[in-house]
């Protein structure tokens, strides 16, 4: 039990440190070094733990970084890894081939990836023409935001969109993704 606990803590800390290192260059050019380090550390931990808290000084929080695919990709990856479990992450790292994964890992990964893809497509279709949210964004940004919202909406609660401006169908999709996430726990 002690070895397992240490392995879980070390894995979580390692992933969060990697997230911190990956986020730091993005914030280095936007904030002074002390604030860049704090923003990187805080958002790495918040992303991995699926907390959804942001502490950006700008109005709009993460919406201010809506066009920064690097930050959104890193946070989405941290959210994705954090939403799995230690056992699934262990299978990915140690076994490295889907065919060798446990049945639980196969189901969790298949369903998670399927829901992310389906949610991304639906968000892109529903919000891509919404003048209040994504209509004016370049196509690449629409794709990144759709993927990010699909990943984050399931578990973390980070958002680059103001959900009071999204269509009712989009809100229903996000609620369905949240419900499926809770139901699988």
């Amino acid at each position: 039990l002690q070895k397992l606990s240490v392995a879980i803590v070390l894995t979580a800390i390692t992933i969060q440190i990697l997230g911190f290192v990956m986020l730091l260059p993005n914030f280095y050019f936007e904030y002074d070094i002390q604030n860049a380090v704090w923003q990187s550390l805080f958002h790495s931990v918040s992303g991995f733990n699926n907390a959804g808290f942001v502490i950006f000084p700008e109005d709009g929080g993460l919406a201010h970084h809506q066009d920064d695919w690097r930050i959104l990709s890193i946070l989405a990856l941290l959210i994705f890894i954090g939403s799995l479990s230690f056992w699934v992450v262990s299978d990915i790292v140690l076994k490295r081939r889907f065919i060798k994964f446990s049945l639980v890992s196969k189901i969790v990964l298949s369903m998670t990836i399927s829901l992310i893809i389906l949610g991304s497509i639906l968000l892109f279709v529903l919000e891509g023409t919404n003048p209040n949210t994504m209509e004016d964004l370049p196509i690449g940004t629409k794709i990144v935001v759709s993927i990010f919202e699909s990943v984050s909406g399931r578990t973390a609660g980070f958002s680059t969109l103001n959900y009071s401006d999204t269509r009712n169908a989009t809100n229903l999709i996000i609620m369905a993704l949240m419900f499926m996430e809770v139901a699988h726990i």
Side-chain angles (χ1 to χ4, degrees):
L1 187 60
Q2 183 180 8
K3 287 181 183 181
L4 176 62
S5 298
V6 169
I8 291 170
V9 169
L10 288 177
T11 300
I13 290 172
T14 300
I15 293 168
Q16 291 173 64
I17 289 171
L18 289 172
F20 164 77
V21 169
M22 290 168 38
L23 284 170
L24 187 58
N26 297 295
F27 296 133
Y28 178 76
F29 295 105
E30 191 168 347
Y31 305 109
D32 61 78
I33 187 65
Q34 183 179 6
N35 201 12
V37 167
W38 174 240
Q39 293 291 340
S40 300
L41 178 63
F42 183 90
H43 290 98
S44 177
V45 172
S46 183
F48 177 75
N49 290 300
N50 286 241
F53 297 122
V54 294
I55 58 166
F56 295 117
E58 301 85 15
D59 289 338
L62 197 54
H64 176 74
H65 298 281
Q66 186 179 54
D67 60 344
D68 193 334
W69 65 269
R70 294 174 309 265
I71 291 173
L72 296 183
S73 299
I74 294 164
L75 283 175
L77 182 62
L78 287 166
I79 294 165
F80 175 75
I81 294 169
S83 72
L84 300 175
S85 68
F86 175 74
W87 303 113
V88 175
V89 173
S90 294
D91 268 0
I92 293 169
V93 172
L94 299 175
K95 296 180 181 173
R96 298 183 184 181
R97 293 185 52 189
F98 189 80
I99 195 97
K100 294 181 178 181
F101 293 171
S102 69
L103 179 60
V104 170
S105 293
K106 288 178 183 178
I107 292 170
V108 168
L109 285 170
S110 297
M111 289 306 299
T112 299
I113 291 169
S114 297
L115 290 172
I116 289 170
I117 291 169
L118 179 63
S120 299
I121 292 168
L122 291 171
L123 281 164
F124 182 84
V125 169
L126 292 168
E127 292 303 316
T129 58
N130 185 343
N132 297 322
T133 57
M134 292 185 356
E135 182 179 60
D136 296 333
L137 299 177
I139 188 77
T141 304
K142 286 181 185 181
I143 292 168
V144 170
V145 167
S146 296
I147 294 169
F148 179 79
E149 291 296 327
S150 182
V151 171
S152 179
R154 288 180 49 251
T155 62
F158 286 109
S159 182
T160 62
L161 300 175
N162 183 346
Y163 276 89
S164 64
D165 293 332
T166 56
R167 294 186 166 121
N168 288 335
T170 302
N171 296 338
L172 184 63
I173 297 300
I174 292 296
M175 286 188 291
L177 291 172
M178 288 179 197
F179 177 76
M180 286 182 238
E181 181 63 27
V182 170
H184 108 267
I185 294 173

